[in-house]
């Protein structure tokens, strides 16, 4: 009773359920309860404000969706599916992890990706529609573990009746977009690599050059992926296969070096990830970076230029383009 009075019923309930599954011993921690209270207060304030802004926004049309929107809606379906599977098994802790922590991580990235777009009325409308879809699903998924806060938010969101009686959200397979997810992975990875370079060199960027991998590297990478889907492969085996191509024979020395650089990473990759990358092919990287050019420019407050490795000769003063790999553009910062 003392803990409920001090932290609140929902934070107390969440701090117990988040530490152990139902048949396991739970370890109550006042520090965790305080952390949960602070998290739920932020959660409540944010969605309350969104409810005022968004109201009963309709679902966005497919034509209005940009890459970040498609990515967010795709990730939402995954979190709904994971939380549903966990709840079906009474694995409440796992369901909380999907519905709260993992969903929040993706949501924060989405807000960051769309920060430069929300001033535009058309984009703001679509973003609000996506936010409405997220809030509707998240509030319904969290209602069993934080019922008081979720009932209040449900009313503010214009939900009908009680959220405790509302249907559980269902994952919509048609909204799962592998290409969007892999595209965002390229952008996020490129952002992190750029930040690492800036931190290591301690420079303030004026212009950032990105170089995407040459077609022959993509071919070698995709062949390596295909050969390694069900088993680990050796460097010699891949090179032997690639050298059947006359153009690859001309690149024999560079090819051997490149395959040696990627083989270990490919062998460590999960089968699912390999299949996803094979499904979308080689076009994702360049398209993703070009789509995110304004975002990267704003993130670094610097000019951004995107080139392919083959077309980089006039724009590669430090010969960085040769370092480009599929899904890992080479970077030069002025």
């Amino acid at each position: 009773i003392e803990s409920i009075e001090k932290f609140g019923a929902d934070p107390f309930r969440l701090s117990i359920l988040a530490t152990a599954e139902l048949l396991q011993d739970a370890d109550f921690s006042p520090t965790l309860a305080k952390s949960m209270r602070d998290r739920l207060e932020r959660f409540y304030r944010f969605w309350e404000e969104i409810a005022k802004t968004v109201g009963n926004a309709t679902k966005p049309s497919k034509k209005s969706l940009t890459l970040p929107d498609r990515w967010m809606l795709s990730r939402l379906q995954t979190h709904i599916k994971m939380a549903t599977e966990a709840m079906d098994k009474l694995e409440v802790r796992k369901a909380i992890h999907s519905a709260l922590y993992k969903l929040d991580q993706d949501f924060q990235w989405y807000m960051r990706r769309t920060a430069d777009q929300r001033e535009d009325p058309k984009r703001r409308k679509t973003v609000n529609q996506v936010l409405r879809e997220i809030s509707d699903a998240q509030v319904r998924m969290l209602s069993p573990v934080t019922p008081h806060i979720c009932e209040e938010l449900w009313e503010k969101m214009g939900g009908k009746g009680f959220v405790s009686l509302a249907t559980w959200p269902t994952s919509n397979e048609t909204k799962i977009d592998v290409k969007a997810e892999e595209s965002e992975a390229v952008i996020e990875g490129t952002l992190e690599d750029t930040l690492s370079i800036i931190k290591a060199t301690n420079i303030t960027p004026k212009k950032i050059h990105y170089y995407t991998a040459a077609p022959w590297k993509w071919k070698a990478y995709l062949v390596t992926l295909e050969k390694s889907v069900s088993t680990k492969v050796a460097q010699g085996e891949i090179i032997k296969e690639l050298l059947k191509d006359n153009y690859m024979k001309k690149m024999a020395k560079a090819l051997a070096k490149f395959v040696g650089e990627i083989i270990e990473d490919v062998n460590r990759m999960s089968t699912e990830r390999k299949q996803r990358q094979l499904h979308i092919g080689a076009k994702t990287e360049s398209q993703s970076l070009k789509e995110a050019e304004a975002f990267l420019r704003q993130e670094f407050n610097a000019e951004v230029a995107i080139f392919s490795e083959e077309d980089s000769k006039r724009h590669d003063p430090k010969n960085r383009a040769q370092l480009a790999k599929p899904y890992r553009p080479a970077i030069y910062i002025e």
Side-chain angles (χ1 to χ4, degrees):
I1 294 175
E2 182 181 340
S3 295
I4 293 175
E5 291 177 347
K6 184 175 182 180
F7 301 110
D10 282 350
F12 176 75
R13 184 185 180 107
L14 187 59
S15 63
I16 293 293
L17 293 171
T19 56
E21 297 296 358
L22 294 180
L23 298 180
Q24 299 174 338
D25 293 332
D27 182 21
F28 175 73
S29 164
T31 302
L32 178 60
K34 181 181 181 303
S35 173
M36 290 298 187
R37 183 188 65 193
D38 294 343
R39 189 183 192 100
L40 286 177
E41 285 178 354
R42 291 193 301 271
F43 169 78
Y44 180 84
R45 286 195 302 268
F46 181 81
W47 285 130
E48 180 186 34
E49 191 60 34
I50 290 298
K52 293 177 185 176
T53 306
V54 176
N56 292 317
T58 57
K59 292 185 178 181
S61 65
K62 285 187 177 181
K63 287 183 179 180
S64 68
L65 297 175
T66 63
L67 173 59
D69 304 325
R70 296 195 303 274
W71 173 84
M72 184 68 249
L73 292 174
S74 181
R75 294 298 300 153
L76 178 61
Q77 309 317 309
T78 299
H79 297 309
I80 292 172
K81 183 179 179 181
M82 292 178 67
T84 302
E85 290 173 351
M87 289 297 280
D88 285 345
K89 298 175 185 177
L90 293 181
E91 296 175 337
V92 181
R93 181 175 180 270
K94 188 179 290 185
I96 291 170
H97 186 70
S98 295
L100 184 60
Y101 297 109
K102 298 297 287 183
L103 178 52
D104 273 357
Q105 285 178 9
D106 285 343
F107 173 71
Q108 294 301 325
W109 174 252
Y110 175 68
M111 294 301 285
R112 187 175 177 182
R113 280 284 279 121
T114 56
D116 65 322
Q117 305 170 15
R118 295 197 295 271
E119 295 302 316
D120 178 87
K122 289 184 179 180
R123 280 298 296 140
R124 185 167 61 246
K125 179 182 178 182
T126 301
V127 170
N128 283 345
Q129 290 168 331
V130 173
L131 292 177
R132 172 67 185 180
E133 199 162 334
I134 298 167
S135 64
D136 179 85
Q138 191 173 35
V139 167
R140 283 191 279 164
M141 286 191 289
L142 291 176
S143 64
V145 293
T146 57
H148 304 89
I149 283 177
C150 287
E151 287 293 359
E152 286 191 35
L153 284 173
W154 187 250
E155 182 179 354
K156 291 178 182 295
M157 289 161 52
K160 296 180 180 179
F162 295 104
V163 70
S164 57
L165 300 177
T167 57
W168 183 268
T170 55
S171 176
N172 186 340
E173 295 293 321
T174 66
K175 292 184 178 180
I176 294 177
D177 191 328
V178 173
K179 184 175 181 179
E181 292 194 28
E182 290 298 321
S183 295
E184 283 298 310
V186 168
I187 295 165
E188 190 169 7
T190 302
L191 180 73
E192 290 173 357
D193 288 346
T194 307
L195 287 170
S196 296
I197 294 171
I198 291 172
K199 184 177 179 181
T201 57
N202 197 30
I203 63 174
T204 301
K206 294 180 180 178
K207 185 173 183 178
I208 304 173
H209 302 250
Y210 293 112
Y211 309 99
T212 58
W216 71 266
K217 288 183 178 179
W218 272 102
K219 181 173 182 178
Y221 183 74
L222 293 174
V223 168
T224 305
L225 280 180
E226 189 174 10
K227 293 290 183 183
S228 68
V229 167
S230 57
T231 184
K232 289 187 176 181
V233 290
Q235 180 178 352
E237 176 188 347
I238 297 299
I239 293 173
K240 183 178 179 181
E241 176 68 23
L242 289 167
L243 288 179
K244 293 177 182 178
D245 184 289
N246 289 330
Y247 179 75
M248 288 296 193
K249 286 181 180 179
K250 298 175 184 178
M251 308 290 297
K253 186 175 180 181
L255 179 65
K257 181 176 182 293
F258 175 70
V259 174
E261 291 172 348
I262 66 169
I263 195 76
E264 188 175 340
D265 289 340
V266 169
N267 278 329
R268 282 202 305 260
M269 196 182 296
S270 69
T271 298
E272 180 187 4
R273 189 72 192 279
K274 291 174 187 176
Q275 290 172 337
R276 286 164 68 98
Q277 291 190 355
L278 283 169
H279 173 70
I280 62 177
K283 294 182 179 179
T284 299
E285 182 181 58
S286 179
Q287 291 176 349
S288 302
L289 289 176
K290 288 176 181 176
E291 192 280 338
E293 188 173 332
F295 166 70
L296 294 168
R297 194 163 53 239
Q298 179 171 305
E299 283 286 312
F300 299 114
N301 192 28
E303 186 180 347
V304 170
I306 300 165
F307 307 102
S308 68
E309 181 179 350
E310 289 187 326
D311 299 330
S312 64
K313 292 181 180 179
R314 292 177 299 168
H315 313 281
D316 189 14
K318 297 295 182 179
N319 202 28
R320 293 283 198 275
Q322 63 178 333
L323 303 176
K325 298 177 184 176
Y327 292 99
R328 292 294 297 273
I331 303 168
Y332 169 60
I333 302 176
E334 293 185 80

